[in-house]
Amino acid sequence: MIQQPVIELRDVWVTYDDIPALEGVDLRVMPYDFLGIIGPNGGGKSTLLKVILGLVTAGSGVVTVLGTRPESSRRSVGYVAQRPAFSPDFPASVWDVALMGRCGKRGLVRRYNADDWAAAEAALRRVGMLHLRGNQIGSLSGGEQQRVFIARALAGEPRILLLDEPLASIDLAMQADFYELLRDLRRTLTIVMVSHDIGAVSVHVDTIACLNRRLFHHGSKELTPEVLEATYECPVQLITHGPVPHRVLKEH
Ligand code: ADP
Ligand code: MG
């Protein structure tokens, strides 16, 4: 049987007030792929995720997610936004936040039922945060909060997980733990993770896309200096380190 891509973009263009954010992007993500998208700030990474979610509509081109339009597949796509959806002072417990992930399934006015509680509990257990369910979200560390936001996405029982700069709020010591979690999640999900830190990403993902309005690369993790310079629009230094010997250092 030929596998169909779970996400497919064909010649996708997006502009904000006549300023292009994505130019002719073609992308195919296969089931259970773990794709890292790298590129400079303003390169369109968050926009690309929003196109996949149907939150931003492409000016032209075709977007297919799980075989249908993004607006129709959104309930099967988990999303952890670049910045938390609310301030850390927001009075919600870890449990409340995980349950919010069920809103897409239930609608805002329906009461939660046993299915919702079971899904929220399973999601918190999976990210290792069930023991903190009674704590206020604002009292957790950045890394713990990030896990709870992932649990909220998982509570909706998605088939695809989109993570926008998930490492930004996690200190270096906790990043290894975080990658451990991703290794577990990828057994059952297709993951697309956006980051401007290629060094951190490249070790863990299967495939990489380099995005700066246009896609300069989409495929293997072995990136050439030419691809990186095209993406980052400035000289890029590669440092040998670890099993995947590439790290970007911008020299302006
Ligand atoms: P990245 O996530 O790679 O930093 P973004 O997708 O956030 O890039 O932004 C790409 C470009 O589009 C940037 O120039 C940004 O200023 C612009 N942009 C993003 N969102 C909006 C918006 N809602 N309205 C207008 N311009 C936007
Ligand atoms: Mg962004």
Side-chain angles (χ1 to χ4, degrees), residues 16-17 19-21 39-48 50 82 164 194:
Y16 295 110
D17 307 324
I19 300 166
N41 286 330
K45 302 181 298 298
S46 295
T47 298
L48 180 59
K50 288 174 188 166
Q82 182 163 1
D164 199 343
V194 157

Side-chain angles (χ1 to χ4, degrees), residues 34-250:
F34 184 1
L35 169 68
I37 301 178
I38 61 161
N41 286 330
K45 302 181 298 298
S46 295
T47 298
L48 180 59
L49 295 188
K50 288 174 188 166
V51 165
I52 294 169
L53 282 161
L55 299 176
V56 166
T57 308
S60 70
V62 179
V63 183
T64 309
V65 180
L66 298 169
T68 180
R69 297 179 310 124
E71 295 83 355
S72 307
S73 55
R74 194 182 299 156
R75 285 181 185 189
S76 298
V77 183
Y79 173 50
V80 179
Q82 182 163 1
R83 285 172 202 84
F86 43 79
S87 119
D89 302 329
F90 187 80
S93 68
V94 165
W95 178 246
D96 294 333
V97 173
L99 263 182
M100 284 174 203
R102 299 296 292 179
C103 286
K105 288 259 187 303
R106 300 236 69 77
L108 278 172
V109 290
R110 301 261 301 273
R111 282 173 175 276
Y112 293 120
N113 65 19
D115 287 347
D116 300 320
W117 296 326
E121 182 173 331
L124 283 173
R125 183 175 292 117
R126 192 156 185 199
V127 302
M129 287 290 115
L130 189 59
H131 64 295
L132 297 180
R133 61 197 283 173
N135 292 38
Q136 290 294 303
I137 184 76
S139 71
L140 273 52
S141 74
E144 289 168 340
Q145 287 187 16
Q146 191 65 280
R147 281 173 183 260
V148 175
F149 292 133
I150 290 174
R152 179 175 61 170
L154 294 176
E157 297 171 328
R159 291 171 58 193
I160 300 171
L161 183 62
L162 307 180
L163 302 170
D164 199 343
E165 308 273 4
L167 294 162
S169 57
I170 303 180
D171 55 50
L172 270 171
M174 299 301 292
Q175 288 193 2
D177 273 0
F178 186 72
Y179 280 114
E180 185 88 21
L181 170 63
L182 291 183
R183 259 198 297 282
D184 171 57
L185 296 178
R186 59 157 313 167
R187 294 186 296 114
T188 56
L189 288 159
T190 303
I191 302 180
V192 179
M193 179 168 88
V194 157
S195 177
H196 61 269
D197 183 356
I198 177 194
V201 166
S202 58
V203 180
H204 300 277
V205 301
D206 296 327
T207 53
I208 279 194
C210 299
L211 182 70
N212 191 357
R213 295 190 304 281
R214 292 193 289 135
L215 263 192
F216 287 93
H217 173 86
H218 175 208
S220 97
K221 303 200 287 188
E222 302 304 317
L223 299 174
T224 64
E226 291 74 24
V227 163
L228 289 172
E229 291 192 14
T231 306
Y232 285 86
E233 290 174 338
C234 61
V236 166
Q237 192 183 343
L238 297 179
I239 293 177
T240 302
H241 113 79
V244 180
H246 297 136
R247 167 167 283 236
V248 178
L249 287 180
K250 286 192 256 182

